[in-house]
Amino acid sequence: MSKRALTVSREENFPEWYQAAVRDGDMAETSPVRGCMVIKPWGWGVWERIQAELDARIKETGHENCYFPLFIPMSFIAKEAEHVEGFAKEMAVVTHHRLKNEGGQLVVDPSAKLEEPLIVRPTSETIIGDAFQRWVKSYRDLPLLINQWANVVRWEMRTRLFLRTAEFLWQEGHTAHADRDDAMDETLKMLEVYREFAENVLAMPVVAGEKPANERFPGADNTYSIEAMMQDGKALQAGTSHYLGMHFAKAQNIQFQNREGQLEYCHTTSWGVSTRLIGGVIMTHGDDDGLRMPPRIAPRQIVIVPMLRDKPEDKELLEYCAGLEKELKALGIRVLVDAKPIKSAEKRWNWVRRGAPVIVEVGGRDAAGGNVTYMRRDRLRDGDKVISHTSPRAEFVAAAPALLDDIQASLFAEAKARLDGNIVTSIKTFDDLQAYFGAASGDDDDDGTFKGWAEVAWSKPEGAALEAIADRLKALKLTIRNAPLNQKPIEGACLFTGDAAIEYVLIGRAY
């Protein structure tokens, strides 16, 4: 039992470990379409839980769900120049609407060229803005608060399952407001929804803050993010919320008649999270045995593995497990009896790799004695020894909800200690920064050693000065992640310019 369930450890090769965790955890696989993925049932079950939990929170804040087309006319995109520039290299374009058979081969029919090319949705600000200009007429129509769950396409060159794929799934919220203050309140409200969701549902601690000007969403006045620290020290941008000002409203004529009868442009926002959250959960909580799923998003919170022996007494054992399953379901717990006719040890390790929070093994002696033997996935081992617990069935059932809550809290506490303990605050010069992070190398943007984030003071430069800073950081494969909303008193000068510092920012390598 001392052998680890995955063939590669996090310390040996974190990127390879991640791919193994996704594969052996039965989450997803690559598809015949380059850069796209097939999400398998266990992975889809996680996404369904994420959807259910987050959708409820979005609706609680007054938003309604709707749906917009996958295809967007190129003329819509072209109305917002900065937006186009930000996404131009990633856009997939549809130019024809028909194929024909030519010499036994299917080819594009040149006579079926579209009058106007269509962009496969990279994001929906433009097409939703077109609807907003029809839906908004008066101040009485505001605020307009909508959300959609959809897929998007961004033609990525370097892809990794869940983290960065050409097609991915997300939700995107879009709102219109009468003034800046209301729109900014919305932007920060949804950022807080994401922070609370990440921490309380995904058990993934994050830092909420504002992105520097060079990292803003194309066309936005302000972009805010939640940043999570993965086990290799890299940052993962786990969600964003944007105040778009009046740029998109002016480009698409989203106006309303105010109380005085005058026309004004709306202030708009957009915000979203995607299936990259699943990658974040894997890299935040996984261990060398595979995935560790927080109970609140685990498709099955408790998996019961009967130790079948292909004997007549198996029937009684399965009846015992079915009764246990019924009692747990009555408490609202998502539970499964895995009665597949394969070796119980193999089934157990399948569920270990998938990260089921609690794995129950029931043998003939357990059933005869009215007991339950189980493993907590968050505390599977003591060194190389696998830990199991035995308790009377009634006690186990009664304690099951509290057990799941404890696993959820345990995963969060472990990740929070990692985040808080690996933000370096002693770096005062660029030379210090370079010495700490070292030279970047290889496809994974690091030298294979763990580095956390650096918290440094800066003067919030923009324009050419900011671009020069970004170039210096880029040479080290670093970026400014965000300026935390919760700021401490400023001490010292800007690390980059030597001018008086305005705020602290977090710097690190990122996915």
Side-chain angles (χ1 to χ4, degrees):
M1 285 237 183
S2 62
K3 185 178 179 182
R4 297 287 175 174
L6 298 186
T7 56
V8 61
S9 71
R10 293 160 293 170
E11 186 176 350
E12 288 170 338
N13 190 315
F14 195 82
E16 285 189 18
W17 167 85
Y18 175 78
Q19 299 287 5
V22 172
R23 179 190 65 244
D24 294 353
D26 218 24
M27 295 290 287
E29 63 185 18
T30 56
S31 80
V33 181
R34 184 193 172 279
C36 297
M37 63 179 169
V38 175
I39 302 177
K40 301 177 79 173
W42 185 249
W44 186 257
V46 173
W47 181 240
E48 284 182 322
R49 294 303 310 160
I50 288 173
Q51 280 187 303
E53 291 279 355
L54 185 54
D55 193 63
R57 286 163 169 78
I58 289 171
K59 288 173 178 172
E60 284 173 4
T61 54
H63 302 81
E64 295 181 294
N65 285 341
C66 56
Y67 186 78
F68 289 84
L70 175 66
F71 302 112
I72 301 174
M74 184 179 285
S75 58
F76 282 26
I77 301 285
K79 289 178 181 179
E80 225 299 328
E82 190 175 352
H83 193 62
V84 172
E85 184 179 354
F87 285 107
K89 294 180 180 179
E90 300 176 347
M91 289 184 185
V93 185
V94 178
T95 57
H96 292 73
H97 66 83
R98 185 170 61 236
L99 301 176
K100 69 175 184 178
N101 191 313
E102 193 172 274
Q105 297 290 325
L106 281 177
V107 298
V108 174
D109 186 346
S111 67
K113 187 175 182 179
L114 297 174
E115 291 186 13
E116 179 180 1
L118 298 173
I119 306 300
V120 183
R121 174 174 52 218
T123 181
S124 299
E125 278 74 13
T126 55
I127 197 163
I128 290 178
D130 177 72
F132 277 15
Q133 62 89 17
R134 295 191 302 274
W135 297 353
V136 176
K137 300 300 179 185
S138 163
Y139 69 90
R140 298 181 181 87
D141 300 322
L142 300 174
L144 179 57
L145 311 173
I146 63 130
N147 175 68
Q148 77 165 344
W149 292 90
N151 61 337
V152 296
V153 172
R154 298 179 185 175
W155 214 253
E156 299 281 358
M157 299 306 294
R158 291 175 52 196
T159 59
R160 188 175 299 181
L161 293 176
F162 290 115
L163 296 177
R164 193 174 293 276
T165 50
E167 179 193 19
F168 56 92
L169 308 177
W170 74 354
Q171 58 75 212
E172 51 178 320
H174 297 267
T175 68
H177 305 262
D179 56 52
R180 182 186 185 279
D181 288 348
D182 196 49
M184 279 297 296
D185 285 347
E186 168 76 10
T187 304
L188 295 175
K189 177 198 299 179
M190 298 315 298
L191 185 73
E192 172 58 18
V193 167
Y194 289 157
R195 184 208 62 77
E196 183 276 334
F197 171 78
E199 297 196 338
N200 291 333
V201 177
L202 307 182
M204 184 168 69
V206 295
V207 177
E210 184 176 5
K211 288 284 193 181
N214 65 311
E215 296 283 344
R216 288 174 188 154
F217 178 76
D221 278 11
N222 304 86
T223 287
Y224 299 85
S225 70
I226 53 171
E227 304 284 334
M229 183 182 289
M230 304 294 98
Q231 289 184 61
D232 60 351
K234 287 186 181 179
L236 183 80
Q237 181 176 286
T240 51
S241 187
H242 317 284
Y243 167 59
L244 303 176
M246 293 187 288
H247 296 309
F248 287 89
K250 289 181 177 179
Q252 298 182 291
N253 199 34
I254 309 171
Q255 296 187 81
F256 69 98
Q257 190 175 56
N258 64 22
R259 294 176 184 274
E260 288 72 41
Q262 300 170 328
L263 284 178
E264 293 185 33
Y265 286 105
C266 290
H267 295 250
T268 63
T269 80
S270 66
W271 28 273
V273 299
S274 75
T275 38
R276 120 178 308 225
L277 285 176
I278 297 176
V281 167
I282 294 168
M283 292 193 294
T284 298
H285 301 305
D287 64 14
D288 293 344
D289 286 310
L291 311 178
R292 294 192 302 171
M293 283 294 165
R296 289 174 189 164
I297 60 165
R300 303 292 184 178
Q301 296 168 308
I302 297 178
V303 174
I304 302 169
V305 179
M307 301 175 72
L308 303 174
R309 301 185 185 276
D310 197 22
K311 294 183 177 181
E313 52 264 34
D314 283 353
K315 181 179 179 181
E316 293 181 6
L317 181 59
L318 287 171
E319 289 175 353
Y320 181 87
C321 292
L324 178 59
E325 177 188 33
K326 183 177 180 180
E327 291 174 18
L328 292 168
K329 282 185 174 180
L331 298 175
I333 294 172
R334 297 184 295 279
V335 58
L336 169 73
V337 175
D338 187 349
K340 293 187 184 72
I342 59 178
K343 293 180 179 179
S344 57
E346 183 179 345
K347 286 193 287 188
R348 175 183 67 229
W349 285 110
N350 283 342
W351 289 110
V352 166
R353 286 188 288 266
R354 292 180 184 182
V358 177
I359 302 166
V360 175
E361 284 189 303
V362 181
R365 290 182 181 178
D366 290 309
N371 293 322
V372 168
T373 299
Y374 67 94
M375 297 178 292
R376 292 176 56 137
R377 184 60 187 87
D378 64 319
R379 299 175 187 167
L380 184 67
R381 295 177 184 265
D382 180 5
D384 283 337
K385 181 183 178 182
V386 175
I387 305 169
S388 62
H389 311 267
T390 300
S391 67
R393 169 173 163 174
E395 289 183 14
F396 173 78
V397 171
L403 174 63
L404 293 170
D405 286 344
D406 190 58
I407 293 171
Q408 183 84 21
S410 170
L411 290 172
F412 178 78
E414 181 182 320
K416 187 72 163 70
R418 183 188 310 118
L419 173 66
D420 292 344
N422 290 286
I423 297 177
V424 179
T425 60
S426 59
I427 293 174
K428 305 300 179 186
T429 69
F430 195 86
D431 288 343
D432 291 342
L433 191 72
Q434 186 169 7
Y436 173 70
F437 283 101
S441 62
D443 290 341
D444 294 302
D445 299 344
D446 61 31
D447 59 4
T449 60
F450 177 90
K451 297 294 181 184
W453 305 344
E455 180 188 76
V456 305
W458 82 326
S459 55
K460 205 172 182 178
E462 295 197 10
L466 177 57
E467 291 302 322
I469 291 169
D471 288 343
R472 293 179 73 189
L473 292 172
K474 186 178 180 181
L476 299 175
K477 300 294 178 71
L478 296 171
T479 52
I480 296 172
R481 304 315 305 157
N482 67 25
L485 295 182
N486 294 326
Q487 288 279 328
K488 60 187 180 183
I490 295 293
E491 296 179 2
C494 175
L495 177 140
F496 302 104
T497 66
D499 297 334
I502 294 176
E503 62 186 4
Y504 287 100
V505 292
L506 296 174
I507 294 176
R509 291 184 176 134
Y511 285 95

